[in-house]
Amino acid sequence: MGKVLDNKCPSCNAPIKFDPKLQKFKCEYCGAEYNAEDIQKMQNEQPAEEKEKETKAKEANPEVKDDTVYVDYHCPDCGAEIIADEQTAATFCVYCGNTSIIKNRLTGKFAPSKIIPFKKEKQEAIEAFKSLKKGKPLVPKDFVTEQNIEKITGVYIPFWLYTVFVNGNVTVMAQRITTWRSGNTRFTKTDTFDCIRDGEMTFRKVPVEGSNRFDNDIMNSIEPFDYNDLIDYNHAYLSGFLAEKYNIESEEASKEATKRTINSAKDEMLNSVIGYNNKIIRSENLNTKINEFEYVLLPVWMLNVKYKDKMYKFAMNGETGKFVGNIPLDKKKAWIIGISVFILTALVVLLFAWMIGG
């Protein structure tokens, strides 16, 4: 049997949660603070009997890298699966807002190899969400409410990172245009060339989402993440946060990684053709090979708000603080403001006409 994902303070036995501001683990009750090394030491200090059981379990099933027992919240409405620790209660689905969340326990392959811990606190995400209303009088009053703000949740999003080797060549059709005048006549000369570029490149940490539940456009908008901040995964970092379970296998995600690297390689080769007015890739022969990949978790503060039968999605990069999202407009308020402006403009025109006529 695996160990439960539940870190306790050695001083008072209360839950320990990761504090993004301190970049440490802090006890909510006695205020004691611990760094990652302290947490690792606590996890290693377990009775010899438990260690023996874990060793036997791993020998019996070597494919399972982590025997930690996670809590799995399954949404019967949209099918999302969210992972948490014993102390983190999911009362609603972060994707569709459904409150009928089924709680189970999950063990096995979930644990990633690396993680970027949260650096931005929930209050910073709240302030970013509130700021959307500033200078925008047409935002509905009942949209930026405390009820919606309370739903802002820190979620670790699953990603596959690939190291991809690309080699091959492209043929670029390039044009050099020359113009000159002779008398009243203007002449244009277009010279066309075939430029061949050969090369090989290695792209490291090419990111591909490991879940199809998160909006790709939003995720692309809050990127990039600084992958230099990746550290070895420890389930203690999940304390107080949720984490999505990946539903896209590495083999499937690698297709997107290959596509991205080929496009990047073509752009690099095309940019190496300089001194021409126009250029376009006429043919290509590029090969790719994935040298390695790893499964990681990246931090995101997210909020989905349903307003008038439409879902509005918001997200903040939990590392950099970059915030994105679209807010609805109050059509009734827009109509009232429009009519008011029209009436005011008409009155000003009539007053001006009366003054001239008078």
Side-chain angles (χ1 to χ4, degrees), residues 10 51 113 176 185 205 234 248-249 263 269 282 288 312 314 317 337:
K51 285 186 177 181
S113 60
R176 183 176 293 141
T185 305
K205 290 184 171 54
N234 186 314
I248 299 178
E249 297 292 337
N263 289 336
M269 290 182 174
R282 189 163 60 83
T288 62
Y312 293 86
F314 304 89
N317 187 312
I337 292 176

Side-chain angles (χ1 to χ4, degrees), residues 130-354:
K130 287 182 176 179
S131 67
L132 293 175
K133 194 175 181 179
K134 294 180 181 178
K136 299 175 182 176
L138 298 182
V139 177
K141 288 184 178 180
D142 55 346
F143 189 76
V144 186
T145 63
E146 289 300 322
Q147 183 180 3
N148 287 337
I149 288 173
E150 290 175 358
K151 293 182 178 180
I152 293 179
T153 309
V155 183
Y156 284 106
I157 305 298
F159 267 80
W160 297 102
L161 299 182
Y162 297 89
T163 297
V164 186
F165 175 76
V166 184
N167 71 335
N169 61 77
V170 298
T171 300
V172 179
M173 184 182 73
Q175 293 180 332
R176 183 176 293 141
I177 301 174
T178 308
T179 60
W180 69 91
R181 280 187 175 276
S182 178
N184 293 326
T185 305
R186 182 177 180 177
F187 296 90
T188 300
K189 179 185 177 184
T190 301
D191 294 310
T192 302
F193 306 87
D194 273 347
C195 302
I196 299 176
R197 292 293 183 269
D198 290 277
E200 57 182 40
M201 310 172 204
T202 298
F203 295 86
R204 292 180 174 83
K205 290 184 171 54
V206 180
V208 180
E209 284 183 62
S211 169
N212 56 16
R213 303 220 173 262
F214 202 81
D215 192 299
N216 286 333
D217 292 336
I218 290 182
M219 198 67 207
N220 291 336
S221 298
I222 65 173
E223 288 182 352
F225 288 85
D226 185 354
Y227 297 121
N228 291 321
D229 289 337
L230 282 168
I231 60 176
D232 291 337
Y233 173 76
N234 186 314
H235 63 251
Y237 286 105
L238 266 60
S239 299
F241 300 100
L242 302 177
E244 186 178 1
K245 180 185 176 185
Y246 72 84
N247 58 13
I248 299 178
E249 297 292 337
S250 60
E251 185 176 353
E252 179 65 25
S254 67
K255 298 175 184 177
E256 178 64 23
T258 298
K259 179 181 176 181
R260 289 185 181 184
T261 51
I262 286 179
N263 289 336
S264 297
K266 288 194 295 185
D267 288 340
E268 288 295 323
M269 290 182 174
L270 185 63
N271 291 335
S272 70
V273 179
I274 57 178
Y276 299 92
N277 301 95
N278 301 312
K279 53 187 179 180
I280 186 173
I281 294 179
R282 189 163 60 83
S283 63
E284 60 185 78
N285 180 25
L286 296 172
N287 303 300
T288 62
K289 178 185 178 182
I290 294 179
N291 290 333
E292 59 182 35
F293 65 91
E294 59 182 340
Y295 169 45
V296 304
L297 293 180
L298 304 180
V300 177
W301 287 104
M302 62 184 296
L303 171 66
N304 289 331
V305 179
K306 192 172 184 179
Y307 183 78
K308 294 188 181 299
D309 298 324
K310 184 178 178 180
M311 192 68 75
Y312 293 86
K313 302 177 183 293
F314 304 89
M316 186 175 87
N317 187 312
E319 180 191 26
T320 66
K322 186 177 181 181
F323 190 91
V324 298
N326 296 318
I327 55 177
L329 298 180
D330 190 326
K331 293 182 180 180
K332 182 178 179 180
K333 189 185 292 186
W335 183 83
I336 292 174
I337 292 176
I339 293 297
S340 300
V341 171
F342 174 78
I343 294 174
L344 181 60
T345 303
L347 288 175
V348 170
V349 172
L350 289 173
L351 179 61
F352 183 71
W354 177 80

Side-chain angles (χ1 to χ4, degrees), residues 20-21 118-131 152 301 316-321 323:
K21 187 175 183 179
F118 274 87
K119 291 190 175 182
K120 300 298 179 180
E121 296 179 298
K122 183 174 183 177
Q123 188 58 41
E124 294 176 272
I126 290 174
E127 293 303 322
F129 180 61
K130 287 182 176 179
S131 67
I152 293 179
W301 287 104
M316 186 175 87
N317 187 312
E319 180 191 26
T320 66
F323 190 91

